[in-house]
Amino acid sequence: MAKTRLAFDDLLAIDKRDTLLAEVARWPVALTLPQARQLADHARGLSPARQPLRLAVVHTYTSDLLEPWLAMWASLSGFDLAAWHAPYGLALQEAEPGSNLVQHRPDITLMMLRREDLHPEIAQPIAGLPEERREDLRRACQERIADIVGRFRAQPVGQIVLTLLPSTTPASLGLFDTQSERSEAAWWTGLQQDVAAWIRAACPATLLLDLADVQAQVGRANFFDRRYWHSAQFPFTAAAAHEFARRVLAVGTVLKAPKAKVIVLDADNTLWGGVIGEDGMDGIALGPDYPGSAYREFQRRILDFQQRGFILAMCSKNNVADVDEVLQKHPHMILREHHFAARRVNWLPKPDNLVALAEELNLGLESFVFVDDSDHECAAVRDRLPQVQVVQVPQRPVDVATCLDHVARLEVLSLTREDLDKTRMYAQERQRRDILEHAAASSDANNYLARLGMKMRITLAPATHVPRLAQLTQKTNQFNLTTRRYDEQQMRAFIDDSNNWLVADFSLADSFGDAGIVGLAMFRLTSTSTAELDNFLMSCRVIGRQAESAFLHSLLRQLAERGIEEVVADYVPTAKNPLVKDLLPREGFISGADGRFHRRLTEQPARPAYDFPIDVEIGTTAPIAA
């Protein structure tokens, strides 16, 4: 029997923040302002302890009335929020060094702009302008946004979240707008696409948050509160403010929380309704009719998360043959075997299976999101593996499809080619590992590596790879010498400063496929003859192939050609990186009296390329115009 929906007072009795967050996320009606304040107060006292999050708001309409909703979602998300609001209006003086905004040191700068801020002609119906003028106006608006955002991006203001308030009225051509060549909606869509393209190419650590999508979710009639708009220049109803604030704090979660990488899915009553071992192929709920249609919709939604770069895995208490039969033969199954990078289908405790999956994928458990319908299994994982985020599937099938939509750690702020291809890459790596283990058992490991036909592409000053490189610094924990984290803006600055920095990455391909960009090195040139290894990291997917050695020694040769005589490096130990504890001594660095590692290239030159079973190519990418 489906569980009765909670009353609001029941929310205030929940003593775990993640449970409270999940219940609020699927709350069926709009919360009132007093309820939001009560929830914020209640969530502040829950464990675990909150971490600081600094928010700055630049606004051309009233922003302080959003504060209670920001405070509520901050408390629910585990943040101690310190918010600062710029003076009312387009305060471009805050985009100057030493401004109050810069001194606030925000993690996020939220820009709440109106369409009318972009150009005076926006006050007129765009549909009434000649075609040529409409195109000129679109370019002028895009340039205006680039100017405004570019000024703030030049300062250390954290992740910029840019928003444009939708029009308070429908498109001027009404029902005909969609098919008109003078469509106002199409014009705004085109402008937004232009802005998004500019951000991707030239404005790192910036997100265009689409308020039109918020409006579509809550509905136009429920989005604007005209009383507040005309009396206080605050446009949002409680429902709109609630959803807007949730999305802003989701950005904070992506920035601050451990990076989620794997979605681990149960099977029975999660991917389909019923129990395959008892109900059989014909008895489980999966297909075009309710309730099977709800589970089919959930599977389709899971593929959306895979497109964001999350790896899919399965953890089910079941007979392998029963699950295989569904994956291979059920006519309405959307997820198939090849969608899962790893599976554990057996009768062992699920916490044990999650540990095994983490070992197989070579990823930390803190990167796992576990999805299951069972109270018992969810409680067992929460108890034994508190670092794993647990999402319990709702009991009502109609709620299943959207149960992951409000999990903030499943949002992404950028997307790379490697993200899109992760499951395939992990499946290829499993094949490599199986063969390598067999070769190692027969003392044939070196010959095996040579037979892989590995090709490494090292890119110097990789300006076109900035999103991926920032992502690597933020997500790589195990094979990471210093664990220094950098955002896209910082990474771009290091690459551009070629007089003081050598930044390089590498991709690796072999007979099984291309692993994409998997390694990064950053050398700070401290003088004409010395360099310091600031960052050296590599994806665990390519461990065991001598890639790190081939990469490092290729760069040491580059440094020697530039006149560098000595390289200094550090190993900064963390709970997660003992894997690289001996990396520097193994690569010929000597521990000095200062506690650092040194290698004098004049006395101990880098190893030659032919020492490694990898064909190395070195190139550069052209810088992106700012």
Side-chain angles (χ1 to χ4, degrees):
M1 181 179 295
K3 181 168 57 179
T4 304
R5 286 194 183 276
L6 298 179
F8 180 77
D9 286 345
D10 295 326
L11 294 180
L12 301 179
I14 295 174
D15 61 358
K16 290 184 172 58
R17 185 180 286 121
D18 62 341
T19 305
L20 178 60
L21 179 61
E23 291 294 344
V24 173
R26 57 174 173 254
W27 193 250
V29 294
L31 293 167
T32 65
L33 189 57
Q35 287 175 331
R37 290 190 170 116
Q38 282 182 281
L39 282 172
D41 290 340
H42 175 58
R44 286 189 188 102
L46 301 181
S47 60
R50 292 176 298 151
Q51 58 177 321
L53 180 72
R54 305 184 69 82
L55 173 70
V57 184
V58 177
H59 55 105
T60 59
Y61 55 96
T62 301
S63 63
D64 54 355
L65 294 180
L66 190 64
E67 192 79 27
W69 304 99
L70 292 169
M72 183 194 78
W73 279 107
S75 297
L76 288 170
S77 304
F79 293 121
D80 183 8
L81 183 67
W84 174 86
H85 297 255
Y88 188 92
L90 192 53
L92 292 179
Q93 69 272 16
E94 297 299 339
E96 298 293 333
S99 69
N100 289 330
L101 186 153
V102 172
Q103 291 182 32
H104 183 62
R105 295 177 290 105
D107 300 297
I108 300 171
T109 294
L110 172 63
M111 304 186 71
M112 297 168 56
L113 306 182
R114 301 171 306 158
R115 292 179 172 187
E116 291 81 356
D117 299 323
L118 306 183
H119 198 280
E121 287 189 50
I122 296 296
Q124 304 292 327
I126 295 170
L129 298 174
E131 180 180 358
E132 182 177 345
R133 182 58 195 144
R134 288 199 306 272
E135 290 304 307
D136 289 344
L137 180 61
R138 193 168 93 177
R139 282 191 293 271
C141 288
Q142 193 275 328
E143 290 170 0
R144 174 66 168 158
I145 291 174
D147 176 56
I148 295 170
V149 178
R151 294 188 190 199
F152 285 93
R153 184 64 286 161
Q155 304 303 324
V157 296
Q159 175 78 33
I160 291 178
V161 177
L162 170 65
T163 65
L164 286 175
L165 187 67
S167 173
T168 58
T169 59
S172 58
L173 297 182
L175 295 176
F176 183 66
D177 187 83
T178 300
Q179 67 192 75
S180 171
E181 72 279 3
R182 296 183 291 121
S183 168
E184 201 165 284
W187 188 93
W188 281 108
T189 298
L191 173 61
Q192 184 162 287
Q193 290 172 343
D194 291 344
V195 172
W198 170 75
I199 288 174
R200 284 196 305 271
C203 198
T206 302
L207 176 73
L208 178 61
L209 195 161
D210 188 3
L211 284 186
D213 187 63
V214 178
Q215 183 185 55
Q217 179 168 329
V218 302
R220 180 184 294 275
N222 295 320
F223 184 82
F224 287 108
D225 189 316
R226 297 183 185 281
R227 298 168 303 165
Y228 282 135
W229 179 241
H230 291 294
S231 63
Q233 285 291 286
F234 182 72
F236 304 120
T237 63
H242 173 101
E243 179 59 18
F244 183 17
R246 184 195 71 79
R247 296 188 186 204
V248 172
L249 269 298
V251 174
T253 297
V254 175
L255 293 174
K256 292 278 193 172
K259 304 300 178 185
K261 300 177 184 178
V262 187
I263 301 174
V264 185
L265 297 153
D266 178 36
D268 293 330
N269 289 311
T270 299
L271 294 181
W272 54 76
V275 179
I276 183 61
E278 297 176 1
D279 301 321
M281 281 274 283
D282 296 331
I284 60 173
L286 185 63
D289 301 320
Y290 182 81
S293 56
Y295 293 99
R296 185 172 165 85
E297 183 183 359
F298 180 52
Q299 290 191 31
R300 173 60 185 80
R301 187 65 176 139
I302 290 297
L303 289 182
D304 290 336
F305 290 105
Q306 189 179 55
Q307 289 303 302
R308 299 182 192 183
F310 294 101
I311 302 161
L312 304 184
M314 180 184 288
C315 181
S316 172
K317 284 186 175 178
N318 247 311
N319 293 320
V320 175
D322 291 337
V323 172
D324 284 348
E325 186 180 17
V326 180
L327 291 175
Q328 295 168 8
K329 297 181 181 179
H330 198 289
H332 300 298
M333 193 74 183
I334 293 177
L335 293 175
R336 299 292 183 181
E337 287 177 293
H338 67 272
H339 290 119
F340 296 96
R343 291 191 290 154
R344 286 296 182 276
V345 180
N346 54 42
W347 299 100
L348 296 175
K350 291 201 172 179
D352 292 349
N353 277 330
L354 290 176
V355 170
L357 285 169
E359 291 174 352
E360 177 178 341
L361 295 172
N362 213 354
L363 294 170
L365 283 164
E366 72 282 352
S367 68
F368 278 44
V369 176
F370 173 66
V371 186
D372 200 296
D373 68 294
S374 164
D375 292 336
H376 169 74
E377 302 294 356
C378 289
V381 173
R382 286 191 183 103
D383 181 61
R384 283 189 51 195
L385 304 174
Q387 65 271 52
V388 173
Q389 181 169 356
V390 176
V391 178
Q392 186 161 2
V393 175
Q395 292 188 13
R396 299 197 322 162
V398 292
D399 297 327
V400 171
T402 57
C403 71
L404 297 181
D405 286 3
H406 287 70
V407 178
R409 291 177 68 213
L410 298 181
E411 295 290 351
V412 295
L413 302 182
S414 62
L415 202 57
T416 67
R417 181 178 70 85
E418 288 77 12
D419 292 328
L420 297 174
D421 228 7
K422 258 183 193 168
T423 295
R424 181 185 62 80
M425 291 176 179
Y426 272 89
Q428 290 172 350
E429 185 55 30
R430 186 171 63 244
Q431 291 177 290
R432 293 186 191 95
R433 188 169 55 249
D434 290 344
I435 296 175
L436 180 56
E437 288 173 357
H438 176 76
S442 61
S443 302
D444 193 31
N446 289 334
N447 287 337
Y448 164 75
L449 290 176
R451 292 200 307 271
L452 278 178
M454 289 183 285
K455 296 184 182 298
M456 175 180 288
R457 164 76 181 186
I458 295 176
T459 303
L460 306 177
T464 57
H465 301 163
V466 164
R468 172 60 175 165
L469 301 185
Q471 183 186 73
L472 280 172
T473 71
Q474 293 158 14
K475 288 187 174 184
T476 307
N477 295 308
Q478 294 174 294
F479 202 104
N480 193 329
L481 267 181
T482 60
T483 324
R484 294 184 178 121
R485 315 295 192 187
Y486 296 120
D487 62 28
E488 292 183 23
Q489 183 186 20
Q490 292 169 313
M491 188 60 62
R492 174 72 60 79
F494 291 134
I495 292 172
D496 289 344
D497 187 9
S498 57
N499 290 329
N500 295 303
W501 288 85
L502 170 63
V503 179
D505 66 27
F506 80 88
S507 60
L508 192 67
D510 63 19
S511 57
F512 286 99
D514 191 337
I517 298 169
V518 289
L520 168 69
M522 300 171 62
F523 292 89
R524 186 165 64 91
L525 309 180
T526 54
S527 74
T528 57
S529 61
T530 60
E532 179 180 293
L533 183 57
D534 175 86
N535 219 332
F536 189 82
L537 58 86
M538 186 178 74
S539 169
C540 290
R541 291 204 309 271
V542 296
I543 286 175
R545 297 189 233 171
Q546 300 184 29
E548 68 276 17
S549 298
F551 181 46
L552 177 60
H553 286 271
S554 293
L555 296 179
L556 293 179
R557 292 194 297 274
Q558 289 284 317
L559 290 169
E561 290 176 7
R562 298 187 184 197
I564 298 297
E565 298 176 358
E566 182 179 28
V567 178
V568 182
D570 297 300
Y571 164 61
V572 181
T574 71
K576 298 173 184 175
N577 73 349
L579 181 65
V580 293
K581 178 180 180 181
D582 300 320
L583 174 66
L584 292 170
R586 193 167 65 242
E587 299 299 344
F589 284 76
I590 298 171
S591 180
D594 57 359
R596 310 186 76 188
F597 291 89
H598 301 255
R599 178 167 180 147
R600 290 198 60 81
L601 300 180
T602 52
E603 299 172 5
Q604 191 179 10
R607 293 166 59 188
Y610 58 72
D611 268 9
F612 307 101
I614 302 173
D615 181 15
V616 177
E617 175 188 353
I618 299 179
T620 60
T621 59
I624 301 173

